[in-house]
Amino acid sequence: MGKKITKVKCGKYCADFTDGGKIFDYDEGFISLTGYSPRQFDGGEVVFDDLIPRDEFDSYMEKVEKLRTVGGGALEHRLMCADGTVLDIICIGTDFTSAEGHSCVNVTVADNSDHAALKRKYESAEKEMDAIAESVSDGLVMVRIADGIPEMVKASDEYYRIIGMDKDSCCGLIDIIKGSDREKLLKNIDECVKTKLLFEQDLPICRSGERAWLRLRARYLDPPEGEDGAMLYCAIADITENKMAEYRLKKQGYCMQMIADNTEEKFFEYNAERDELSITAGEQVMKQFGSNGIMRNFLSGRTADGLIHPDDIEVFYKTWENALASPQKGTADFRCLIKKGTYRWYRMPYISAENENGEITGVYGMFFNIDHVKTLKSRMAHDRREIERLSTTDAVTGLLNRGAFEKAAAASLKELFPTGDCFAVCYSDINDFSYVNENFGYRAGDKMLADFADIIMNCGVCVAGCRIYSDYFVSLYRAKDREKLIDKIGERNRKFSEMQKKKYPLSNIQVSCGLYFMRAADEDINTAIDNANLARRSVKGSTDIPGGIYAERMRIKRSHDQAIASEIFNAIKTGAIELFLQPKFNMKTRGLIGSEALARWRNADGSYKLPYEFIDVLENVGYITQLDFYIYEQVLINLAKWKREGRHLYPVSVNFSRKHNIYPNFVSRIAELADRYGVEKSLIEIEVTESCFTQDVKNLFTNMKKLREHGFKIDIDDFGMGYSSLSVLMDAPVDIVKVDKVFIDNIENNEKSREYIDRICNLIQTASKEIIFEGVETEKQAEILCSSGHRMAQGWLFDKAIPVAEFEKKYLSLKSI
C-alpha cells in the first residue's frame, strides 16, 4: 500500500574554507541537484556561502556548531540553487585537512523537499478545534406586565453578575436588549401572556464593551392577589461561550467544507441526540459509512463494525466512549476497509462540545488517510539509511570516506596489531590526473579513480581503503614485514600505471605515495594520515622513487609551515612584512631605470626571514595572494608619496602568484587600487613567473591582455627555469622577459654559455620583447652582456634589495637615462 519509495536524489562536494569556501570537488549528483555549472565552481564564482540562504546563514552555523559538539550527525537545512529556488535537504559533513594543509569539508547532501512539504502539510492537517465553554449558572428575574409594558420587579445577584451591572445602575431587562431582538422579545412576552406557554430566546447584549449572549427561559405566573397585569418568571443563563463556540464551529464548518471539496481530508459531525454521523460527501472511501456520507444509529447499532479492522475495533469505540463522556479533544488511528481484504490507515482528530447544561451534544473532527504518512516515515527511514551509507562511502569508487575509514582503521588496528604484523598508512595521489579529465572528460576520470580503488583493495595487503577527495587516496596495509609491504605498494603502483598506459598511450600516469609505519595499536589515525601525506609530498614529482617514508624531520617542517601560515596575517597587520626594492640599472651608464618590489619578514630581534623560508609555504596554503596585494599596495602608497613630493618616478615591478588567475576580479582589483592612489599604470610592471605558463594558459593570457589594455606592463620572471615553450612565449602578451641568473653564471669562462645566451636573446627580441638579466654579480658578466648589445640588468654588482627609505635616499634624485 502507499506510494512507491523512489531513489534518493543526492550528491557530494568538497569546500576549501582556507580558500574562501571554494568548491573544488563535486560529483554529477551535486551539479544536477544545484543547477550550477562546473565552470562556476572551478572559477570561484560560486562558493560555499552562496549555497546557504542569507537570512538563514546564522541559524545554519549554529546548527553546525551544535552537531560538532556531539560528534556530528545529519543536518536538515535549505540550499540555494542556481535558478533561485530553495531546496530542503539533509546533509552530512566531514571536516578534513587537504594535502596542502587547507581546512576543508566533505559534504553529502540529499534532496528532502518532498519530505518537508508532506510534513508541513500533515502538521497543518492535524489541527484540532478549540474547546467549547463550560456550562453556566442561571440568574432569576421577576417581570410584571402592566398595560402591555414589562417592568422588572426584582432579580438575583447572579443576574447582575451575568449582565455585568450592579443593582444601583442596572436598568430593566428590556432596556438592555436592542433592535430587532428587542422587538422579538416584546412579541414573545405578549404571546406568553396570552397563551400562558413557556418561551425561550437567545439575546445579544453589550457587556463591558464586548458582545455577550444570554439565554432567557420565561414562564407565566398569575399576578399577586389584588394586583392587575401578569407576572413572568425568567431564568437568565450566560451562553456567550457557547454562542462563540457555535459560531467558530460553524465558521470552521464552512472552511472544512471548502477544504473537503478540494482535498482528500474529510470532516465529520456526530449528533449525539440523533446518534448520527455525517461526513463531507465526495470521498469514495468515506461513502462506505452510509449513503450520502451519513451513518445512522452509529454507536447504538455499532454500524462501523464491518468497516473497522478487527484489531482496531476496541480502540475505535473506546475513543468514542471517551469523547461522549466529557468535553475533550483527542486523536485516534484506525484501519478502514477499502475493498475486500484491503484496509487503509486513517487518523481521526476530534473535539467534543457540550451545551450550557454540560451535556455532550456533538463531536466534530476529520478523517484523513495516513497511509502516505506511514509510507513517508518508511521512506525517510530508508533514505536516512541510504544517506548514512553514502556518508560513509565514496559514490565513485565505493571506498570508505575519511570518517568511516578512521573508524575502520582504528578497529582493525585494535584487533590485528597484537599479531605482530607490520602495519602502514599509505597516502596516494595520481599524478597528472587532470590530463584525463581535461582531454577525455569526467566520466573517464571517474573510471580511472575506480580502477585505482579496485587495485588498492585487491593488492593482497590492504585492510581498508579510502578516497579522501579528487584523486587523493589513503589506505591501511598489513604485511609480515616492511620490505614486503613496500614491495606490494610498488607493485600496486606499477600495475595501475601499466593499465592506464594501455588506455592512454600518450600519457605517463604515475602514482605518488607516502608511507607511515604504525608503532602502536592505539596510535592516532589522523596523525598517521598527516604523516603519510608529508611523506608523499616529499617525493611528489620524483618518478624514480616508488614512495616516501615518513621521517620526523617532515613533521618539524610541517610545524614550521603551519607556524608561518598562522602568523602571516598578524605580521602584515603589525608591519613585520616590509617592502624592499631592488634597483634595476642600465649596465652601460649605470643609471637607475626601475626597481623590483620584494617582501621581507622582520623577526622580533630585528633580523629577517629569508624569502625561501615563507614564500613557498604561503604559495602552498594559498595565502600568497594576500601577501602579493599587500606589497602591491605598499608600492602604490610610496609612488603616490613620491609623486606628491615631486620626486622623479621610475617603474616598479610587482610579483603576482599564478593563484590570482582563478579569481574573476583579479584584473579589476589591480586597476582599481592604482586609480585609488592616483598612480599612473605605466609605472607598474606586473611580474609573473614562467611556471605560470604551464597551467591554465588561456585564462592567464586573458588576464595579461586585460592588464595591458589598462596600461600596465607585463614581465616574465625566471625565464628558462620552467617548461614553457618558445612558441608560447611568442604568443604571450608580454613586454619584458627577465632571464634567470643560472644562464649567465658561466658566461665568463664558457663560450657555449655565451653562444646559448645570444641565441635565446635573439629569439626573445624576434618576439618583440625587451630583455633584462637577473643576478649580474661581476663586472666581467656585465661587460660580456653589454658587448652583445644588452643594457638592462639587476644584481648584486649594482645593488641588493634594500628598504624603501634607503632606496629613496640613494636613488630618487637621479634622472632617467
Side-chain angles (χ1 to χ4, degrees), residues 430-441 444-445 448 500 503-509:
I430 302 171
N431 299 332
D432 301 319
F433 176 69
S434 59
Y435 169 84
V436 176
N437 275 339
E438 292 172 2
N439 292 279
F440 298 94
M448 177 179 287
Q500 303 312 314
K503 291 183 178 182
Y504 311 105
L506 298 179
S507 71
N508 185 27
I509 304 296

Side-chain angles (χ1 to χ4, degrees), residues 658 687-695 697 700 715-726 728-729 737-738 740 743:
R658 65 176 181 271
E687 194 164 300
V688 297
T689 60
E690 186 192 356
S691 61
C692 294
F693 289 77
T694 64
Q695 297 182 359
V697 174
L700 175 65
D715 297 358
I716 293 182
D717 191 18
D718 297 337
F719 178 76
M721 298 301 293
Y723 301 96
S724 62
S725 65
L726 285 173
V728 172
L729 175 64
V737 175
K738 299 181 73 175
D740 191 80
F743 292 102

Side-chain angles (χ1 to χ4, degrees), residues 197-317:
L197 297 176
L198 295 171
F199 79 88
E200 181 179 295
Q201 182 179 347
D202 292 346
L203 303 169
I205 65 169
C206 181
R207 181 171 63 197
S208 301
E210 296 183 354
R211 188 177 179 86
W213 285 87
L214 309 179
R215 177 160 291 169
L216 178 146
R217 295 184 180 89
R219 67 184 179 90
Y220 176 82
L221 295 174
D222 290 328
E225 188 176 346
E227 291 189 16
D228 296 329
M231 297 290 292
L232 295 181
Y233 176 80
C234 302
I236 305 295
D238 185 354
I239 61 167
T240 303
E241 290 299 321
N242 299 68
K243 277 288 186 180
M244 295 304 294
E246 182 182 345
Y247 171 75
R248 286 195 297 269
L249 288 172
K250 186 177 295 185
K251 183 177 180 180
Q252 289 172 352
Y254 292 135
C255 295
M256 291 174 183
Q257 186 62 52
M258 291 180 63
I259 295 171
D261 290 342
N262 294 279
T263 68
E264 295 181 359
E265 289 76 22
K266 298 304 167 184
F267 298 88
F268 69 83
E269 177 182 353
Y270 174 72
N271 187 303
E273 183 179 357
R274 296 197 300 268
D275 189 19
E276 183 175 282
L277 185 73
S278 301
I279 304 173
T280 51
E283 165 62 41
Q284 186 62 38
V285 172
M286 290 305 166
K287 282 185 177 180
Q288 296 183 70
F289 284 108
S291 60
N292 298 320
I294 298 176
M295 181 175 282
R296 296 177 175 83
N297 302 318
F298 176 62
L299 296 178
S300 61
R302 292 182 64 95
T303 52
D305 283 4
L307 298 174
I308 306 302
H309 192 285
D311 293 343
D312 302 331
I313 284 287
E314 183 177 349
V315 172
F316 182 79
Y317 282 114

Side-chain angles (χ1 to χ4, degrees), residues 532-593:
N533 188 28
L534 289 176
R536 177 195 65 86
R537 292 168 64 180
S538 71
V539 298
K540 178 71 173 176
S542 301
T543 57
D544 56 340
I545 302 177
I549 297 177
Y550 173 81
E552 193 58 32
R553 59 179 171 75
M554 298 177 184
R555 174 61 59 185
I556 295 171
K557 181 180 184 304
R558 175 66 175 270
S559 298
H560 167 266
D561 292 353
Q562 290 175 336
I564 291 293
S566 64
E567 294 170 6
I568 182 61
F569 293 107
N570 187 58
I572 290 174
K573 182 179 179 180
T574 59
I577 301 295
E578 297 179 2
L579 170 64
F580 274 46
L581 295 173
Q582 182 170 25
K584 300 176 183 178
F585 289 87
N586 182 309
M587 288 185 288
K588 185 175 182 180
T589 66
R590 303 301 166 98
L592 183 74
I593 59 173

